[in-house]
Amino acid sequence: MTDDAPAVELKGVTKRFGHLTALRNIDLVVQCGESVAVLGPNGAGKTTLLRIISTLAKPTGGRVSVAGSSVTEEIRASLGLISHQILLYEDLTARENLAFFGSLYAGSTANPTALLERIGLGDAADTRVSDFSKGMKMRLTFVKALLNQPNLLFFDEPTSGQDPSNARNIREWIGELRSEGRTIFLTTHNMTEAAELC
């Protein structure tokens, strides 16, 4: 990794699914500390782009680098991905989920109790996730991605399914992460949200 390398660089990135081309020759450079919104309707390729940068999908063509290194699975520990796909253990409590996912990182992690309090799930910390509403699961997914205190964050429609109060809390938190100098990718349909956060 090079200290002066861009946080993310894409050159000619293309992704095809059979005969469908989801991404075509995408060139993009994002410097460390920048916040970038990826806007577009459903099916425009926003999530596909994030999945490629975060190593969850491989491009059909082109090159992707993060902090000057080719994208490989080894960089996952330094990323935070908030997806609208919920990946939690339903039989575990919120606290147990965070403890388990935190144990997968080699370095120190954020305090799970503090994360749960901040996202409004403190009172539900010891409740099984199977008893959570979809909005609660999305908020738990949000804080799960912050456990490793990453400098590069991917937010895929982070306020989707949230009531106005929780959506505002999430936007404020993203704003704080941005002001700390984290690099942020945000996909959204909401132009106001994009303008506020990027």
Side-chain angles (χ1 to χ4, degrees), residues 110-129:
N111 181 325
T113 302
L115 292 175
L116 290 168
E117 289 290 341
R118 174 66 195 275
I119 202 67
L121 294 174
D123 291 342
D126 297 310
T127 301
R128 285 189 182 198
V129 170

Side-chain angles (χ1 to χ4, degrees), residues 23-186:
L23 301 172
R24 181 179 289 115
N25 294 324
I26 303 292
D27 291 332
L28 177 67
V29 176
V30 178
Q31 301 298 335
C32 293
E34 283 189 313
S35 296
V36 176
V38 182
L39 298 164
N42 288 336
K46 301 183 303 296
T47 298
T48 299
L49 181 65
L50 292 195
R51 287 178 56 80
I52 287 171
I53 299 169
S54 61
T55 78
L56 297 178
K58 292 187 177 184
T60 308
R63 187 172 62 80
V64 181
S65 62
V66 172
S69 298
S70 294
V71 168
T72 61
E73 292 179 7
E74 285 72 32
I75 69 162
R76 285 184 187 167
S78 64
L79 307 178
L81 173 64
I82 291 85
S83 169
H84 53 263
Q85 184 178 12
I86 297 169
L87 301 171
L88 299 165
Y89 288 99
E90 300 257 331
D91 289 340
L92 299 181
T93 66
R95 192 188 311 276
E96 290 168 340
N97 264 280
L98 294 185
F100 170 74
F101 287 108
S103 73
L104 301 178
Y105 295 106
S108 63
T109 57
N111 181 325
T113 302
L115 292 175
L116 290 168
E117 289 290 341
R118 174 66 195 275
I119 202 67
L121 294 174
D123 291 342
D126 297 310
T127 301
R128 285 189 182 198
V129 170
S130 57
D131 294 331
F132 277 20
S133 68
K134 183 177 180 187
M136 292 170 75
K137 290 176 184 177
M138 290 299 297
R139 283 185 281 149
L140 182 56
T141 298
F142 181 90
V143 294
K144 181 184 85 169
L146 300 179
L147 273 170
N148 60 328
Q149 305 170 86
N151 285 319
L152 180 54
L153 290 154
F154 300 94
F155 295 108
D156 193 5
E157 299 180 36
T159 58
S160 174
Q162 299 298 323
D163 62 43
S165 173
N166 285 317
R168 184 172 54 253
N169 184 21
I170 289 170
R171 284 194 300 272
E172 286 172 359
W173 201 343
I174 294 172
E176 289 170 22
L177 293 166
R178 182 187 65 180
S179 68
E180 291 169 6
R182 316 275 183 112
T183 305
I184 293 173
F185 276 80
L186 170 75

